[in-house]
């Protein structure tokens, strides 16, 4: 990736370093109408592999779009929302930035990003329906998906077999039936992440959706998680916890497998597990004990959480044509495949599959047909901070599931009312 000071030597290097860091901090999109600056994040975990990949993308794009200079700047995940908001709020920032569905409503609502329908005019119908739906606000597309994540259900075959369970429980009813058998063997059935720092998209919300409920009302002005379906979902969870079928360590789990009950073979299944954790489990348990299932099925539907990463365009970019060319370039099949292979993520397109050497890739690919990207709303992340402690209170028996959800809903509705 371009930095502008690779060949500088001291003391000139110090001057060039300061100038380069200043430029990265400002990210002034309008300084050069032939330049496209991108804020990218560590979607490729290995720093060296990431640098090599995006260096290659810079060269390939500049060849495909003669006269346009592309700079991909790596940014940390930490304080991501704040830094983007500050840059946009100051009328600066990159031409293009990587966003997720829960960020798009906020930045589209305040006019910080522009619609990108033009960049996807030839491909919009080729993306997963749920993925493209998450990119839209008021009928316009605000993000171009370049990769897709997915979670699904994972089982420890050894633990199930020891309890006499031959078919992995794939529904709520089957979980209820299997739980006592595992309990007799001193093993929890279902691992869960109830920490306040854990994302509800990976713990409670999938259960809510499986019960037929939603986080928000259709108009987004009030919450709906305290519906009868929401109470049913939380009751299902609290009943398992009270029976010892959800481990006590769940209260401090932050959506992790390693060093938690599932990873340590103290629980027999998890329902929001990514491919990388399935591969980690194979190393810990032995591959013969890893079973990958379809997304968990509740009373209403079979669904699992997964989100796309999408490229959005700064509304104040002075090179929107170049920015949109980059979006079209990155959403083309060749780049979808190469990024997926480098990152380990999946394709957001229905007509493109990412080659994978993982023995579990096919099961995860199949789960994409039942993926939910969550319920994008400008207050989505704030709401999680209000709801998570109430779910904890219900699990610990301090409140009934209904009272916990009703109490959270009162505060959440006040939050939404203030934002209107």
């Amino acid at each position: 990736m371009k930095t502008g000071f690779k060949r500088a030597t001291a003391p000139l290097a110090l001057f060039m370093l300061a100038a380069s860091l200043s430029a990265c901090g400002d990210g002034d999109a309008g300084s050069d109408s032939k330049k496209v600056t991108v804020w990218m994040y560590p979607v490729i975990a290995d720093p060296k592999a990431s640098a090599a990949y995006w260096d290659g993308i810079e060269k390939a794009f500049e060849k495909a779009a003669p006269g346009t200079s592309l700079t991909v700047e790596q940014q940390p995940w930490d304080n991501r929302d704040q830094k983007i908001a500050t840059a946009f709020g100051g009328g600066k920032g990159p031409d293009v930035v990587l966003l997720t569905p829960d960020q798009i409503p906020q930045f589209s609502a305040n006019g910080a990003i522009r619609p990108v329908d033009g960049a996807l005019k030839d491909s919009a119908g080729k993306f997963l329906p749920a993925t493209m739906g998450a990119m839209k606000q008021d009928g316009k597309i605000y993000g171009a998906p370049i990769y897709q994540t997915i979670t699904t259900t994972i089982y420890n075959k050894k633990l199930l077999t020891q309890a006499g369970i031959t078919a992995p429980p794939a529904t709520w009813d089957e979980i209820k039936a299997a739980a006592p058998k595992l309990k007799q063997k001193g093993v929890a059935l279902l691992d869960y992440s109830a920490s306040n720092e854990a994302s509800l998209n990976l713990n409670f919300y999938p259960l809510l959706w499986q019960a037929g409920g939603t986080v928000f009302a259709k108009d987004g002005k009030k919450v709906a998680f305290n519906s009868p379906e929401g109470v049913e979902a939380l009751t299902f969870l609290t009943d398992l916890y009270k029976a010892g079928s959800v481990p006590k360590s769940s209260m401090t789990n932050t959506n992790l497998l390693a060093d938690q009950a599932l990873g340590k073979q103290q629980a027999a299944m998890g329902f929001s597990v990514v491919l990388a954790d399935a591969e980690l489990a194979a190393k810990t348990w032995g591959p013969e004990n890893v079973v990958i299932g379809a997304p968990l099925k509740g009373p209403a539907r079979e669904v699992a959480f997964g989100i796309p990463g999408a490229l959005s365009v700064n509304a104040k970019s002075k090179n929107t044509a170049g920015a949109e060319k980059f979006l079209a370039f990155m959403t083309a099949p060749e780049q979808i495949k190469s990024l997926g292979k480098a990152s380990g993520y999946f394709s957001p397109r229905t007509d493109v599959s990412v080659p994978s050497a993982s023995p579990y890739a096919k099961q995860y690919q199949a789960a994409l047909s039942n993926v939910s990207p969550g319920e994008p709303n400008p207050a989505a992340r704030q709401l999680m901070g209000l709801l998570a402690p109430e779910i904890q209170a219900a699990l610990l028996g301090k409140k009934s599931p209904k009272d916990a959800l009703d109490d959270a809903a009162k505060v959440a509705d006040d939050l939404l009312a203030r934002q209107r």
Side-chain angles (χ1 to χ4, degrees), residues 12 30 33 38 40 54 72 165 252 260 275 278 297-298 308 317 329 361 363 367 371 393 417:
L12 177 60
S33 62
V38 180
M40 184 50 60
W54 293 111
V72 180
I165 299 169
T252 56
Q260 297 296 327
L275 176 60
K297 185 176 182 180
S317 168
F329 177 81
Q363 293 99 316
V371 67

Side-chain angles (χ1 to χ4, degrees), residues 34-283:
K34 294 182 179 180
K35 178 181 178 181
V36 175
T37 302
V38 180
W39 277 7
M40 184 50 60
Y41 295 83
V43 297
I44 301 171
D46 180 79
K48 290 184 179 179
S50 180
Y53 178 81
W54 293 111
D55 280 344
I57 288 294
E58 287 177 345
K59 293 180 177 67
F61 177 71
E62 289 173 356
K63 183 177 179 180
T68 302
S69 174
L70 175 67
T71 301
V72 180
E73 299 178 358
Q74 280 289 343
Q75 303 289 331
W77 291 119
D78 292 345
N79 300 316
R80 178 173 52 134
D81 288 344
Q82 182 179 355
K83 184 170 183 179
I84 295 173
T86 299
F88 283 166
K92 299 182 179 181
D95 297 284
V96 177
V97 62
L98 181 75
L99 298 179
T100 48
D102 57 347
Q103 295 173 301
I104 287 175
Q106 171 189 347
F107 292 124
S108 62
N110 63 21
I113 56 176
R114 59 183 291 125
V116 296
D117 300 69
L120 300 178
K121 60 183 179 181
D122 297 325
S123 60
K126 297 178 181 179
F127 290 87
L128 293 164
T131 294
M132 186 50 62
M135 300 294 102
K136 293 182 178 180
Q137 294 291 309
D138 299 323
K140 296 180 180 179
I141 303 171
Y142 283 89
I146 58 173
Y147 68 84
Q148 175 73 43
T149 70
I150 183 64
T151 62
T152 194
T153 313
I154 181 173
Y155 305 89
N156 187 315
K157 183 179 179 181
K158 180 178 72 175
L159 297 182
L160 293 177
T161 301
Q162 288 174 348
I165 299 169
T166 56
T171 69
W172 286 18
D173 286 341
E174 290 172 3
I175 285 176
K176 293 175 184 177
K181 298 178 182 179
L182 283 152
K183 179 69 167 134
Q184 289 179 354
K185 296 293 182 178
V187 175
L189 171 60
L190 183 68
D191 204 0
Y192 186 79
S193 299
S195 167
N196 288 338
E197 287 72 42
S199 171
L200 294 184
N201 282 323
L202 292 167
N203 49 47
F204 180 66
Y205 287 171
L207 298 176
L208 174 66
W209 302 327
Q210 289 160 17
T214 59
V215 180
F216 297 96
K218 287 185 178 181
D219 60 8
K221 295 180 180 179
K222 289 192 173 184
V223 297
F225 56 70
N226 60 328
S227 63
E229 293 82 3
V231 174
E232 183 178 16
L234 189 51
T235 300
F236 167 72
L237 184 62
T238 56
D239 284 351
L240 289 173
Y241 185 80
K242 291 175 184 176
S245 296
V246 169
K248 294 187 183 300
S249 61
S250 293
M251 301 304 295
T252 56
N253 193 352
T254 55
N255 304 130
L256 297 176
L257 179 141
D259 298 323
Q260 297 296 327
L262 183 60
K264 294 192 291 186
Q265 303 194 73
Q266 297 169 352
M269 67 176 285
F271 64 87
S272 290
V273 180
V274 298
L275 176 60
D277 278 343
E279 293 171 339
L280 177 62
K283 295 178 181 178

